[in-house]
Amino acid sequence: MAKSKPSAGRPARPSRRKPKTRPASGLSRERIAAAAMALVDREGLAALSTRRLGNELGCEAMSIYHHFPGKTHLMDALVDLMLKAAEVPITGEQGWLERLRRAAHGFRAMALKHPKFFPFFATHRLNTPAGVAFIDGIIGILRDAGFSDRDAATYFREIGYYLTGAALDETAGYARGPSAAEPVSGEMIAANFPHLAAAAPYFQPQHFQATFETGLEILLDGIWQAHRSRHRAP
């Protein structure tokens, strides 16, 4: 049976197509990333979603996608934002060893500034623009010192092992990790494990800075000794 045609005088049905969303005024990649990092700093990574971020910015979640195609792109931007706080002294009056030292302290300061984001950062490949620049800068310091490409890569990774492990331990590591169902009491430790009992006070946060510096200097001294042996006059 043929369908009846609409009469000429019948008003046309309104279109059901949803209007296209437009970027909210005042939004930018920088503003969105800064708001996302502030949210993570305050409430943790689990709280970050485009809906929640939209509420923080006073816009629809879809507006964020005009600047970041997906959440993974936003996470990359947070990695780059974090690395801005870990500037590598590429050039300067300081020698190469002091530049490495300053870069290491900068990395730790970056992690402590954003402790709730650092566990994600620690396992993210630094293949973003800022990440690649950071890696190139550290390797460049080692190459300026006269190390070969192979040695520069080796020492870069060794420095990375130490910095990542130290920062993870301070931001989300041992003291904040899961505990045994029935942990050994302090009284039992004091009575049966005298070495641990004597060392325990120095595991406290007030000693983290000194512990970090001690380990860093041991590492840098090893690199310095390797440099001396490779460049010793025959």
Side-chain angles (χ1 to χ4, degrees), residues 15-214:
S15 173
R16 294 184 179 179
R17 292 181 179 178
K18 295 182 179 180
K20 294 182 179 180
T21 59
R22 295 180 179 179
S25 61
L27 282 187
S28 65
R29 287 176 60 89
E30 293 75 17
R31 184 186 170 200
I32 293 170
M37 185 65 82
L39 176 59
V40 173
D41 286 343
R42 190 171 66 249
E43 301 184 30
L45 194 56
L48 181 61
S49 67
T50 51
R51 182 186 297 273
R52 179 65 191 281
L53 187 54
N55 291 338
E56 294 283 317
L57 291 164
C59 68
E60 295 292 331
M62 287 301 298
S63 297
I64 295 171
Y65 290 110
H66 288 284
H67 300 272
F68 296 101
K71 188 175 179 180
T72 54
H73 293 81
L74 175 59
M75 299 302 283
D76 287 349
L78 295 187
V79 169
D80 280 359
L81 179 63
M82 194 165 178
L83 277 168
K84 287 182 179 180
E87 296 181 1
V88 179
I90 305 298
T91 59
E93 297 179 0
Q94 298 85 5
W96 65 270
L97 197 64
E98 179 59 24
R99 287 156 62 197
L100 283 181
R101 182 179 289 109
R102 288 180 56 196
H105 280 284
F107 187 95
R108 177 175 180 262
M110 170 200 73
L112 296 182
K113 184 177 180 180
H114 303 290
K116 294 180 180 178
F117 186 75
F118 185 76
F120 175 87
F121 177 95
T123 56
H124 189 288
R125 295 182 184 178
L126 295 185
N127 53 3
T128 63
V132 170
F134 177 81
I135 295 171
D136 186 73
I138 300 295
I139 294 176
I141 294 174
L142 293 163
R143 292 291 290 117
D144 288 346
F147 287 111
S148 67
D149 291 332
R150 179 175 181 174
D151 286 342
T154 298
Y155 296 137
F156 168 80
R157 290 188 63 81
E158 290 175 353
I159 293 169
Y161 293 158
Y162 179 71
L163 294 180
T164 302
L168 273 176
D169 185 67
E170 291 191 45
T171 59
Y174 183 80
R176 297 173 179 81
S179 178
E182 297 181 11
V184 178
S185 68
E187 292 78 9
M188 182 176 291
I189 291 175
N192 298 282
F193 304 97
H195 303 304
L196 174 57
Y202 301 99
F203 293 155
Q204 299 305 309
Q206 60 266 32
H207 295 284
F208 285 177
Q209 176 77 24
T211 300
F212 174 82
E213 291 180 356
T214 299

